[in-house]
Amino acid sequence: MFYQEELETMPREELEQLQLERAQKLVAYVYERIPFYKNSFDEAGVKPEDLKTLDDLRKFPFTVKQDLRDAYPFGLFAVPMDEVSRIHCSSGTTGTASVVGYTERDLEEWADCFARFVRAADCGPGSVMQVAYGYGLFTGGLGAHSGGARAGCAMVPTSTGNTKRQVRLMRDFGTELLACTPSYALVIADTAAKMGIDKSEFKLKSAILGAEPCSEGMRKEIEEKLGCQVYDIYGLSEVMGPGVSCECSEQHGLHVNEDKFIIEIVDPETFEPLPDGEWGEVVFTTLAKECSPLVRYRTRDISRILPGECSCGRTGRRMDRIAGRTDDMLIIRGVNVFPVQFAQVISEFPEVTSYYQIIITTKNALDRVELQVETVDDFPFDEIRRLQDLKKRIETALKENLQVAVSVKIVEPMTIERAEGKAKRIIDLRGEENA
């Protein structure tokens, strides 16, 4: 199902011409309106008129998160405050918050982006959509809500928390589409089971899940427990919010809304462009934003462009699911490892769930990594030999896949803390031992 079929299925040649025209307008727009970009372009020795082809975009400098922080609060706004309709920002837990503004038109463009994926999830007029993302400065709740409403759904704005009530409303209201983080979808599913509510009592057919990585094993677990199809959605507040890209029913890559964004994949060390199929850092340029436009924003997310066309008919290129972030990469004995790699390994073991945590400590000046993972409810936890065998098999698989030794601790169900938003996968205790 399409929402804006003409744009979603636009022939590549026409789409790239549209991108070029919008990119040319963009660089002239930011150069004139945002001092940061004028200085940045001047220092790099480029002018807006240098953008004659899409490949010329590579001549322009990157924008990084620190640039947004340095411009706090409104230094990167391209419009006066009387044209700003809404302001979102990151949590700022690791530094000054990144502030993003939206004009009324920006909000409409954002709603259209998300609405495309609501229709791709086979929902629309007559569907009940429940949004269990947090509402507020975080873009998830309001972004999903506006998109669902634009697609014609009846919206249930539950936000996060009060999970038993979430479950009852899903059943009683006949929710067909759920939007939340993958971690919270699992919490909802497990809570329903404890309440004695079977998935057959739900009318749920789709779940649009984002804001954190979701491995294939985690997806299958959610689909099995909730009886629905899971669509991975991607976005980040600096670029827009949820709806930059999302899966279709084929579940093979996330279609980028390329009439709104240009995606690049670059080597995170050399920053040179990488060909389709190779993993690297995702870079986005916004093509339809008035208030907070960005040129070549380095997201720090790791993905790749999947080559080939999708059978669904959408012509927007597909990015793979996020494999990790350059800033959450763990360096274990000289080897680069991402948390999602742990998830991929444990998904191969039916004896354990998708709930895990990575505990990092230091002993004798060396980093030590322990993976804690929960067993499924019916695993005989009191059978020591089976526990030891499971522990050994997981450690062997981790060694083979990650090329480093990881200690595994098998824990009982419900031991690891549940998250209503993004799950906290990494507990870094380095430095605390000697504090």
Side-chain angles (χ1 to χ4, degrees):
M1 229 180 6
F2 295 98
Y3 173 69
Q4 294 173 316
E5 186 170 0
E6 183 178 350
L7 291 170
E8 294 174 68
T9 62
M10 182 179 289
R12 285 300 309 177
E13 185 176 345
E14 292 181 27
L15 179 55
E16 290 176 3
Q17 180 59 34
L18 177 63
Q19 286 186 315
L20 176 59
E21 292 171 1
R22 290 185 169 181
Q24 289 171 331
K25 291 179 181 178
L26 167 72
V27 293
Y29 180 80
V30 300
Y31 189 79
E32 177 185 342
R33 291 176 173 244
I34 303 175
F36 163 79
Y37 276 114
K38 185 180 188 308
N39 295 334
S40 177
F41 291 2
D42 287 348
E43 288 177 6
V46 291
K47 300 289 184 182
E49 53 267 28
D50 294 332
L51 185 64
K52 294 181 173 61
T53 69
L54 285 177
D55 285 343
D56 288 337
L57 189 61
R58 300 171 187 170
K59 300 176 182 178
F60 289 77
F62 293 105
T63 309
V64 298
K65 194 176 187 71
Q66 190 59 47
D67 295 328
L68 275 72
R69 290 172 172 164
D70 292 343
Y72 179 88
F74 307 135
L76 284 181
F77 282 18
V79 299
M81 289 304 295
D82 61 2
E83 295 181 29
V84 179
S85 294
R86 189 191 298 169
I87 297 172
H88 282 282
C89 68
S90 66
S91 62
T93 54
T94 58
T96 304
S98 302
V99 180
V100 183
Y102 302 79
T103 64
E104 190 59 37
R105 181 184 164 192
D106 289 340
L107 294 175
E108 291 176 1
E109 295 275 9
W110 184 9
D112 284 341
C113 285
F114 202 104
R116 293 178 184 181
F117 300 129
V118 172
R119 294 288 179 86
D122 198 26
C123 293
S127 301
V128 177
M129 178 175 172
Q130 187 163 325
V131 179
Y133 285 117
Y135 283 67
L137 291 175
F138 169 62
T139 55
L142 287 168
H145 185 110
S146 298
R150 182 62 63 93
C153 296
M155 303 306 299
V156 184
T158 50
S159 193
T160 57
N162 205 339
T163 308
K164 289 183 178 179
R165 187 180 182 217
Q166 297 265 11
V167 171
R168 287 193 295 268
L169 293 181
M170 279 177 54
R171 179 194 62 192
D172 299 345
F173 289 3
T175 298
E176 293 182 50
L177 175 59
L178 174 67
C180 62
T181 65
S183 299
Y184 196 43
L186 271 181
V187 172
I188 289 173
D190 291 343
T191 301
K194 289 178 184 177
M195 294 169 66
I197 297 177
D198 187 76
K199 63 184 178 182
S200 63
E201 298 182 53
F202 297 129
K203 292 184 178 179
L204 198 65
K205 63 180 181 181
S206 304
I208 294 180
L209 309 180
E212 64 181 8
C214 179
S215 68
E216 187 60 26
M218 190 175 192
R219 181 221 291 275
K220 290 179 179 177
E221 183 177 354
I222 295 168
E223 290 184 332
E224 171 60 30
K225 288 181 175 181
L226 288 178
C228 67
Q229 185 166 356
V230 167
Y231 298 78
D232 190 11
I233 194 167
Y234 173 82
L236 60 167
S237 61
E238 294 88 350
V239 173
M240 183 183 69
V244 173
S245 66
C246 188
E247 290 179 319
C248 64
S249 59
E250 296 298 315
Q251 293 179 313
H252 184 55
L254 291 78
H255 288 277
V256 179
N257 280 318
E258 285 196 277
D259 58 319
K260 315 291 186 188
F261 311 97
I262 290 177
I263 182 173
E264 301 175 72
I265 304 294
V266 302
D267 186 302
E269 294 183 0
T270 67
F271 307 121
E272 290 299 312
L274 294 173
D276 290 358
E278 291 196 22
W279 294 91
E281 183 175 347
V282 181
V283 174
F284 274 113
T285 295
T286 64
L287 297 177
K289 291 186 71 176
E290 294 180 326
C291 184
S292 300
L294 292 174
V295 177
R296 304 194 77 200
Y297 180 71
R298 288 180 51 201
T299 67
R300 296 195 174 273
D301 289 325
I302 301 297
S303 184
R304 61 178 176 169
I305 298 295
L306 297 175
E309 299 179 356
C310 184
S311 59
C312 76
R314 291 173 176 82
T315 53
R317 290 190 298 169
R318 293 162 298 144
M319 57 185 285
D320 210 332
R321 282 183 287 178
I322 300 300
R325 289 179 54 82
T326 59
D327 51 3
D328 72 6
M329 181 176 70
L330 305 175
I331 302 177
I332 305 173
R333 300 175 187 90
V335 178
N336 298 343
V337 178
F338 294 98
V340 72
Q341 293 177 265
F342 290 82
Q344 291 167 347
V345 170
I346 66 174
S347 69
E348 300 171 3
F349 294 86
E351 301 96 331
V352 298
T353 72
S354 297
Y355 295 109
Y356 71 92
Q357 279 189 331
I358 301 163
I359 315 296
I360 309 175
T361 56
T362 303
K363 185 174 183 180
N364 297 328
L366 293 175
D367 290 341
R368 298 173 62 89
V369 181
E370 176 184 87
L371 173 69
Q372 294 188 3
V373 61
E374 291 183 3
T375 61
V376 295
D377 288 334
D378 58 359
F379 184 85
F381 203 84
D382 56 347
E383 295 186 18
I384 304 301
R385 285 188 179 180
R386 290 192 61 178
L387 272 176
Q388 291 176 336
D389 174 68
L390 177 59
K391 169 183 165 69
K392 184 176 180 179
R393 286 188 290 120
I394 295 177
E395 287 179 341
T396 299
L398 288 168
K399 176 72 173 178
E400 291 175 353
N401 284 271
L402 277 60
Q403 304 303 310
V404 293
V406 175
S407 174
V408 172
K409 181 178 181 181
I410 310 295
V411 298
E412 295 184 76
M414 303 306 295
T415 299
I416 296 172
E417 183 180 358
R418 276 22 180 184
E420 295 175 354
K422 298 182 183 182
K424 188 172 184 180
R425 300 295 191 195
I426 304 172
I427 308 296
D428 192 344
L429 300 177
R430 288 175 292 188
E432 294 188 14
E433 295 92 336
N434 300 319

